[in-house]
């Protein structure tokens, strides 16, 4: 159990580090995500081939999963665009809006009633973001891109859950990475036409960071999650991942000294967002405990 919890927090740190690579890699957000999905697809295909877990699926399912993978690619493009337009802290704080968009989109897609409790917690998060947006005008573009990224993340999570029940997780991830890479490859010429760059090839530093991002923070993160879920409940894992933005901000402060770039409005807004996460976590915990008592 101790080893499982260590792996859990290592995986959360790796998830938090994805934003750090957005700052380290000098390529624009479109090329960054394109290379990330390409390297992840190649490396994961090799791993699954040698593990004899490389499975074919029906063409119709391939298209659906690939489309969801492209949605993930769009989320990453806007996420890294947010970081490059502002900083890591702003990018990961805006990611907290995922719950706000999920509270509206999930009932719409699954045709169920909207939870007033989820809406109230999400509005608290939104208030924190608005506070930062209103008082700190330097990062408005980054916040807008981050908000779009969060909406796409919410849509990805919901659609991924909807199509993923009939397939192994490893197969789902591989086809999503491949679908995202192929989809972005089709759109990249148009993207580069509007956002031209001197070169599409990464230098040595970017190449190494892209390999680390694709291998450790994408595939390695997935493998750790699978290992952890064999010992620790999904409920505990999901609650623990609320620490991801905190780890990202701490890493950004240590590596890039971002504390100097942030003013008091950021910390007030961040405190409100953390409060909403604590309240939501407590609510889920109480609900889960009540459900278990009723089933005993």
């Amino acid at each position: 159990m101790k080893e499982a919890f260590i792996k859990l927090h290592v995986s959360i740190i790796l998830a938090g580090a994805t934003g750090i690579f957005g700052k380290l890699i000098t390529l624009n957000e479109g090329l960054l995500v394109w290379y990330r999905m390409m390297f992840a697809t190649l490396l994961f295909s090799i791993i699954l081939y040698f593990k004899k877990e490389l499975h074919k699926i029906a063409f119709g399912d391939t298209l659906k999963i690939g489309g969801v993978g492209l949605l993930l690619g769009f989320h990453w493009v806007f996420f890294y665009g947010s970081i490059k337009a502002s900083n890591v802290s702003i990018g990961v704080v805006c990611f907290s809006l995922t719950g706000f968009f999920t509270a509206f989109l999930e009932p719409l897609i699954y045709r169920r009633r909207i939870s007033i409790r989820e809406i109230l917690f999400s509005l608290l998060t939104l208030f924190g973001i608005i506070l930062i947006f209103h008082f700190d005008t330097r990062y408005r573009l980054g916040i807008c891109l981050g908000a779009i990224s969060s909406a796409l993340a919410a849509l990805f999570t919901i659609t991924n859950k909807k199509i993923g029940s009939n397939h192994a997780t490893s197969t789902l991830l591989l086809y999503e990475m491949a679908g995202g890479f192929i989809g972005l490859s089709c759109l990249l010429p148009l993207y580069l036409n509007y956002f031209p760059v001197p070169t599409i090839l990464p230098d040595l530093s970017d190449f190494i960071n892209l390999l680390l991002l694709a291998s450790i923070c994408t595939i390695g993160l997935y493998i750790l999650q699978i290992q952890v879920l064999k010992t620790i409940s999904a409920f505990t894992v999901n609650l623990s991942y609320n620490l991801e933005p905190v780890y990202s901000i701490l890493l950004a402060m240590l590596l890039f000294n971002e504390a100097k770039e942030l003013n008091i409005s950021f910390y007030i807004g961040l405190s409100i967002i953390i409060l909403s996460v604590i309240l939501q976590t407590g609510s889920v915990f109480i609900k889960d405990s009540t459900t278990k008592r009723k089933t005993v």
Side-chain angles (χ1 to χ4, degrees):
M1 182 64 72
K2 182 180 178 181
E3 181 183 348
F5 271 102
I6 291 173
K7 288 182 177 180
L8 172 60
H9 283 276
V10 170
S11 72
I12 298 170
I13 292 171
L14 291 180
T18 58
I20 302 299
F21 281 105
K23 194 80 170 180
L24 290 173
I25 297 170
T26 60
L27 294 172
N28 73 11
E29 57 279 356
L31 286 169
L32 190 162
V33 176
W34 183 72
Y35 276 112
R36 179 184 184 180
M37 296 192 117
M38 178 179 69
F39 289 152
T41 301
L42 292 173
L43 292 171
F44 203 42
S45 297
I46 293 169
I47 292 171
L48 293 182
Y49 175 79
F50 283 105
K51 291 179 69 177
K52 296 182 179 180
E53 296 178 4
L54 194 60
H55 305 299
K56 292 183 179 180
I57 60 175
F59 181 71
D61 287 344
T62 300
L63 290 178
K64 290 179 183 178
I65 296 172
V68 174
L70 182 58
L71 193 61
L72 175 62
F74 286 153
H75 154 62
W76 279 346
V77 168
F78 279 96
F79 174 69
Y80 288 117
S82 173
I83 289 172
K84 289 182 179 296
S86 53
N87 56 42
V88 177
S89 299
I90 293 292
V92 297
V93 162
C94 289
F95 188 70
S96 303
L97 280 173
T98 302
F100 170 78
F101 290 109
T102 303
F104 289 98
L105 291 173
E106 191 171 30
L108 184 65
I109 292 173
Y110 284 99
R111 296 181 181 180
R112 64 170 176 81
R113 292 179 63 184
I114 292 176
S115 169
I116 301 300
R117 182 185 299 172
E118 290 179 4
I119 296 297
L120 291 175
F121 289 145
S122 299
L123 287 175
L124 194 58
T125 301
L126 181 62
F127 177 69
I129 297 290
I130 290 173
L131 192 65
I132 298 171
F133 184 91
H134 180 70
F135 287 107
D136 202 338
T137 57
R138 296 172 297 166
Y139 301 129
R140 287 190 174 181
L141 175 59
I143 291 172
C144 289
L145 293 174
I148 297 172
S149 166
S150 298
L152 291 170
L155 193 57
F156 165 75
T157 302
I158 296 166
T159 53
N160 192 45
K161 180 181 177 181
K162 196 168 186 178
I163 67 165
S165 57
N166 298 324
H167 302 284
T169 309
S170 57
T171 302
L172 192 69
L173 179 64
L174 175 61
Y175 277 79
E176 284 176 350
M177 288 293 134
F181 168 67
I182 294 170
L184 288 177
S185 297
C186 296
L187 296 172
L188 199 61
L190 181 64
Y191 182 85
L192 293 177
N193 182 56
Y194 285 99
F195 302 97
V197 292
T199 177
I200 63 170
L201 298 175
D203 59 24
L204 180 60
S205 176
D206 282 347
F207 181 77
I208 293 172
N209 284 324
L210 284 165
L211 280 179
L212 291 173
L213 176 61
S215 58
I216 298 176
C217 292
T218 305
I219 299 172
L221 173 61
Y222 156 77
I223 293 172
L224 279 175
Q225 286 177 341
I226 295 298
Q227 292 175 349
V228 165
L229 285 169
K230 291 179 181 179
T231 307
I232 301 174
S233 70
F235 174 76
T236 302
V237 171
N238 288 334
L239 289 186
S240 300
Y241 262 81
N242 287 330
L243 292 171
E244 180 186 338
V246 177
Y247 284 163
S248 288
I249 292 170
L250 290 175
L251 286 170
M253 287 179 175
L254 287 172
L255 295 174
F256 307 122
N257 201 19
E258 283 194 1
K260 290 184 177 180
E261 301 177 19
L262 305 171
N263 59 25
I264 189 64
S265 66
F266 173 84
Y267 293 106
I268 294 174
L270 177 63
S271 299
I272 293 172
I273 292 166
I274 292 174
L275 175 62
S276 72
V277 170
I278 292 172
L279 291 173
Q280 192 162 3
T281 300
S283 173
V284 172
F285 183 78
I286 293 170
K287 183 179 179 181
D288 184 70
S289 300
T290 304
T291 304
K292 286 180 178 178
R293 283 198 298 269
K294 288 180 179 179
T295 55
V296 173

